[in-house]
Structures are given as structure tokens and as C-alpha cells.
Amino acid sequence: MCKLINFVFLIFFICLIPKYNANPTSRRFNGYEDVPYNAVFDDENSIDGSDVIDLSSLGPEAYGLPNNESGNAVAAWSESSLVNPEELGSYAEGDILMPPHEGRNGIKEESFRWPKGHIPYSIEGSFTAQEREIIMKAIADYHRLTCLRFIPYSGQKDYIVIQNKDTGCWSSVGKLGGRQEVNVQSPGCVSKKGTVIHELLHAIGFMHEQSRPERDNFVTIRYNNIKSGAEINFKKANPQHSNDFGVPYDFNSVMHYSEYAFSKNQQKTIDPKVGGVKVGQREGLSRSDVRKVNNMYGCKKEEPQSGWFGNIFQNWFN
Ligand SMILES: [Zn+2]
């Protein structure tokens, strides 16, 4: 028996050794462990960001102008709320807003990835020092975990402006061309780093997790509990126009709605089919979010804890 215990401890320590040798400049982060700090400066990027993002699965309701009604809803939000602030807007699915476009149908059917994963940005508006810090932490997470690079704006043609007008939390999907806005109203949309990360993920090119075509295998949508008129926010993406980038459905995605999104009666609108899972976290990028970003942008960055020993460690302790 004693020998058995010694053996188990030996295996445990063997698993720990390569883990700490592999990433000496690392720390626990967001449920990840040992994310390399110096990853932002590595040269393993091989991003091809020129591909088109198909927007045809977004309905015409995604196109319009910011409004103060959404801002008022976010102003009334507090951290003790059952929902996330970006679920409160009157925009498509709460926070997707594409600018009106003078095309044949008045809507634009496509946007683009950011070439080389470089996203020029500027921060405008009256953010407090603390709110700016939240935004910079969100950007730092992308730099640490993905090959994307947010580059301070210096006259580039295409860029995002992170602003805090009183119109709620919203963003368009993908690179539209020219100046495009990501609105994170203070204080509601900048009280959690994950909300900023969420809105930036839209601008990077991602939609909501629970709108994936296969979502009904993972969650039950309780239509009886949804506010009248908000049912449209729960439609599924057309499988022909969506891409999961080889990453399975993720309850823990920062792009997943909360369980009470658009509820009219404090009852769940999204009910996971798996016991014990929580949805709607806004702490930061999940492991699958990172994978999806890196797959979309052809990033060759290795995952934290990859490798034979890392896998054993993950299987045992995650
Ligand atoms: Zn969103």
C-alpha cells in the first residue's frame, strides 16, 4: 500500500517537472495554467487573415444605428444581475450592430478577417483609469494567448475605435473596412474584462456560441420564458454559413449567453442539457475560444500545457 502511495506521488511530481520547466515565465490565468508571458513576442505567427466572413446568416435586424434605449438598459444593469450587460441591447442578439450599408439590399453580406491578425485600435471617450486598465487587460489576454495583435492606431486605413457612448455594449462582426466602432458603455460594459473581450471577439469575426447550428444538442431554449419579441435573438446560424473551426460546442465560451438572457420571468431561457455546467461566464477567453481564434487566423501558437506530459496533467486535474 505504502509503495502504491509513493508511486502515485512519484507520477504526480514527474508530471509537474516538465510543466514548470517548459514555461518558466508563467502564472495561473483564467483557469489556464502556465500561459507564457513572452508569447506576444514570439515569431511563430503564420496568420493569413485575408479571408471573407459570411454575414448572410445575420438577419436585416443586425443593421441599424446605435440607440439610447439600449444604453439606458445597460445603465440600469449591475453586477448582481442574472444576465450580462451585452444581452440587454435592442440590437441583433443584444449586441451585434452592423452599420447600414447602401447596397442592393441595404445590407452588407460579408466582412473580412484582419490581415496578419493585426488590429489597429484607438481608445476614445471618457473611460476612467480603471476602465482603461480593464480594456488593456482584455487586449493583453489576446496577446498572451493568441497571435492577434492590437496595434495602437497610427493612420491605418482599417481600424477599430473602442468608445463608451451611452448606447450599450455592441460591435459589428469582422473587419468592415475603414473606421469601425466597438462600444463598451461605462460602467456596465467595462466592469468585467470578459465583456470587453466578448465585444472584441465580434470585431475579430465571431458570433455567439449558443447560435451555433448544433446548439440544440447542448442546450434547451425555453421559449416560454423569453420576452415577447426577443425570440429572434435565439435563432441558429445557417450551417452553410457558419464555421466552428474544428472546435466543439463550448458552454464555457465568453461568447455564450447567460442562462437568463432575455427572460421575462426570472426563469431560465437557456437550459444546458449537461448537469453541473454554467454558461455565460465573462471572466475571459475559454480554452476553446483561444483555439477558435487561433484556428480562424491560422495561428500556430502552441496551447498552454500541450505535449504528452501536459495532456496527462490536464486529463487528471481539469
Ligand atoms: Zn455578443
Side-chain angles (χ1 to χ4, degrees):
M1 184 64 190
C2 217
K3 277 187 179 169
L4 180 66
I5 290 170
N6 283 342
F7 178 74
V8 168
F9 272 98
L10 181 66
I11 294 293
F12 177 80
F13 285 113
I14 284 173
C15 288
L16 288 181
I17 289 165
K19 178 175 138 68
Y20 285 105
N21 281 345
N23 291 315
T25 53
S26 58
R27 66 164 187 176
R28 189 179 179 87
F29 166 74
N30 259 355
Y32 285 93
E33 297 188 33
D34 296 308
V35 177
Y37 255 103
N38 56 352
V40 66
F41 299 113
D42 59 33
D43 288 324
E44 62 196 345
N45 303 4
S46 67
I47 286 179
D48 173 11
S50 58
D51 289 353
V52 171
I53 298 169
D54 190 328
L55 300 177
S56 56
S57 65
L58 288 174
E61 66 276 7
Y63 297 80
L65 295 170
N67 63 67
N68 291 111
E69 176 200 327
S70 300
N72 293 341
V74 169
W77 177 88
S78 74
E79 283 200 38
S80 60
S81 169
L82 289 173
V83 299
N84 292 307
E86 63 272 30
E87 293 156 16
L88 296 172
S90 59
Y91 311 114
E93 301 186 10
D95 69 335
I96 295 176
L97 180 62
M98 310 293 295
H101 185 76
E102 294 173 18
R104 188 164 47 90
N105 305 315
I107 60 173
K108 196 174 179 176
E109 295 270 302
E110 59 186 31
S111 65
F112 298 90
R113 297 182 200 169
W114 294 85
K116 295 182 179 172
H118 289 175
I119 305 167
Y121 77 99
S122 69
I123 300 176
E124 295 177 4
S126 53
F127 292 106
T128 64
Q130 197 182 3
E131 289 163 352
R132 271 179 179 265
E133 201 184 323
I134 295 263
I135 293 168
M136 294 318 293
K137 279 183 176 170
I139 287 174
D141 283 3
Y142 280 108
H143 288 183
R144 194 176 298 137
L145 296 165
T146 75
C147 297
L148 296 175
R149 297 294 173 264
F150 287 83
I151 299 165
Y153 175 69
S154 59
Q156 292 90 338
K157 184 166 99 26
D158 304 327
Y159 64 105
I160 64 169
V161 171
I162 301 171
Q163 61 182 26
N164 63 347
K165 292 185 178 160
D166 291 335
T167 52
C169 324
W170 53 265
S171 173
S172 42
V173 176
K175 175 174 79 71
L176 303 178
R179 171 192 165 105
Q180 79 184 65
E181 294 161 347
V182 174
N183 202 76
V184 280
Q185 178 177 322
S186 303
C189 316
V190 275
S191 70
K192 283 198 162 188
K193 181 180 68 177
T195 301
V196 179
I197 287 176
H198 177 111
E199 296 308 332
L200 291 175
L201 259 184
H202 283 313
I204 289 161
F206 287 93
M207 311 283 239
H208 292 127
E209 189 70 4
Q210 79 288 335
S211 64
R212 286 174 62 145
E214 78 280 33
R215 68 105 191 278
D216 292 332
N217 298 334
F218 300 91
V219 296
T220 304
I221 305 298
R222 306 273 178 214
Y223 285 95
N224 291 343
N225 298 332
I226 298 172
K227 275 182 217 162
S228 174
E231 299 87 350
I232 197 169
N233 294 328
F234 291 86
K235 66 182 185 184
K236 290 182 283 187
N238 182 334
Q240 263 106 51
H241 300 301
S242 67
N243 190 338
D244 60 16
F245 296 95
V247 178
Y249 194 89
D250 178 24
F251 293 109
N252 197 37
S253 170
V254 78
M255 299 310 277
H256 206 299
Y257 278 176
S258 64
E259 288 167 305
Y260 300 91
F262 304 99
S263 177
K264 65 179 178 192
N265 55 8
Q266 309 263 306
Q267 303 288 311
K268 284 184 187 178
T269 53
I270 302 178
D271 207 351
K273 292 188 169 177
V274 180
V277 296
K278 282 200 161 185
V279 298
Q281 68 82 18
R282 291 296 181 269
E283 300 310 313
L285 292 162
S286 71
R287 185 179 297 276
S288 292
D289 290 331
V290 171
R291 239 174 249 168
K292 233 187 304 186
V293 169
N294 285 338
N295 289 353
M296 178 187 246
Y297 278 87
C299 172
K300 300 287 189 284
K301 186 190 285 292
E302 280 190 25
E303 282 179 35
Q305 296 186 47
S306 58
W308 188 73
F309 280 116
N311 286 337
I312 289 176
F313 187 87
Q314 286 182 49
N315 290 336
W316 278 15
F317 296 101
N318 285 349

